[in-house]
């Protein structure tokens, strides 16, 4: 019973905090703020790959809400309840898109910082980076964080749109923190909207700090 209550508390706490971060991201987006940026950092967006799906959900919801409101007019309590849920869903989807916009990937003096909205961050320090290159790969759908093992080497893949376009090769197997755990990997892959620009900037930075 105690374990059940503990798990219920953790789940409720996570849901509430996640909801609040969604609204916070929407505020940052409206205010045109990127809270993780510093004066020396260079941002790289990654929202383009998921934009069609987000726009599709938003458009479908925007159509569904007034249509359902009209069809449910004979049942006012149900109509009001569906209207509240529909508007909440629209705001939530805008907030999710906002989170991906205001928390971009960044390069700065300490390394490469890979984001997925507010709920995932992977930091790769420059002193661990051997090379940064263009390399497009596809992955299993539905999983943003994937570990791929090949010839005894492990690669951390942070996908968007089920693919990556940039590979960061590390000098040696390195501990990288991701999604509340630590993985020892030899490469990190990501998918920015402008992979070539990120590679050029990363190579320029590594030449200065290594």
């Amino acid at each position: 019973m105690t374990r059940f209550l503990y798990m219920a508390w953790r789940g409720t706490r996570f849901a509430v905090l996640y909801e609040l971060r969604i609204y916070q991201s929407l505020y940052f987006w409206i205010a045109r703020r990127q809270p993780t940026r510093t004066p020396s950092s260079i941002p790289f967006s990654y929202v383009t790959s998921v934009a069609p799906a987000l726009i599709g959900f938003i458009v479908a919801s925007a159509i569904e809400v007034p249509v359902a409101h009209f069809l449910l007019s004979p049942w006012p309590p149900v109509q009001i309840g569906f209207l509240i849920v529909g508007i909440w869903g629209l705001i939530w989807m805008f907030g999710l898109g906002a989170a991906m916009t205001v928390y971009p990937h960044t390069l700065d003096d300490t390394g490469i910082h890979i984001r997925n909205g507010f709920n995932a961050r992977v930091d790769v320090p420059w002193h661990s980076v051997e090379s940064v290159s263009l390399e497009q790969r596809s992955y299993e759908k539905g999983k943003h964080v994937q570990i791929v093992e090949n010839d005894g080497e492990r690669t951390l893949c942070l996908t968007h749109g089920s693919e990556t376009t940039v590979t960061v090769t590390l000098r040696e197997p390195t501990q990288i923190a991701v999604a509340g755990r630590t993985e020892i990997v030899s490469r990190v892959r990501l998918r920015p909207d402008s992979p070539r620009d990120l590679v050029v900037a990363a190579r320029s930075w590594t030449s200065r700090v290594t």
Side-chain angles (χ1 to χ4, degrees):
M1 184 64 178
T2 303
R3 180 173 176 80
F4 171 78
L5 291 175
Y6 173 71
M7 295 301 294
W9 160 248
R10 285 192 61 184
T12 302
R13 180 176 180 272
F14 174 82
V16 170
L17 291 177
Y18 198 96
E19 193 79 11
L20 292 175
R21 294 295 296 274
I22 284 285
Y23 301 135
Q24 182 187 50
S25 298
L26 195 57
Y27 164 74
F28 285 148
W29 180 60
I30 293 171
R32 297 186 178 182
R33 290 177 55 189
Q34 291 182 336
T36 59
R37 286 193 61 184
T38 64
S40 64
S41 67
I42 304 175
F44 292 91
S45 66
Y46 51 86
V47 73
T48 299
S49 60
V50 296
L54 282 173
I55 292 172
F57 276 117
I58 290 171
V59 171
S61 296
I63 295 173
E64 181 183 61
V65 169
V67 170
H69 189 72
F70 173 76
L71 294 176
L72 295 173
S73 56
W75 305 280
V78 178
Q79 182 189 44
I80 294 172
F82 195 93
L83 179 64
I84 293 172
V85 171
I87 292 174
W88 168 79
L90 266 175
I91 295 173
W92 202 91
M93 292 305 297
F94 273 111
L96 185 62
M100 294 184 178
T101 302
V102 302
Y103 293 97
H105 303 320
T106 55
L107 308 185
D108 63 19
D109 292 333
T110 61
I112 303 172
H113 310 288
I114 307 167
R115 302 299 299 247
N116 182 36
F118 54 76
N119 64 334
R121 171 173 173 167
V122 172
D123 299 316
V124 183
W126 291 123
H127 63 77
S128 298
V129 176
E130 175 68 27
S131 65
V132 183
S133 59
L134 292 170
E135 184 180 19
Q136 185 167 0
R137 289 176 177 260
S138 298
Y139 302 88
E140 180 182 351
K141 291 184 178 180
K143 293 184 178 180
H144 169 64
V145 178
Q146 300 187 37
I147 298 292
V148 176
E149 296 192 33
N150 188 24
D151 296 330
E153 293 188 330
R154 306 175 81 239
T155 300
L156 172 60
C157 306
L158 304 161
T159 72
H160 283 99
S162 301
E163 67 176 17
T164 59
T165 53
V166 173
T167 296
V168 180
T169 302
L170 307 178
R171 297 182 183 277
E172 60 184 4
T174 303
Q175 288 189 345
I176 299 292
V178 56
R181 64 184 190 272
T182 299
E183 300 284 354
I184 299 178
V185 298
S186 299
R187 296 181 185 84
V188 178
R189 294 190 173 119
L190 64 150
R191 190 202 183 284
D193 290 338
S194 304
R196 191 174 300 276
D197 292 342
L198 187 147
V199 168
V200 169
R203 287 175 176 173
S204 174
W205 222 305
T206 55
S207 68
R208 300 200 306 266
V209 299
T210 58

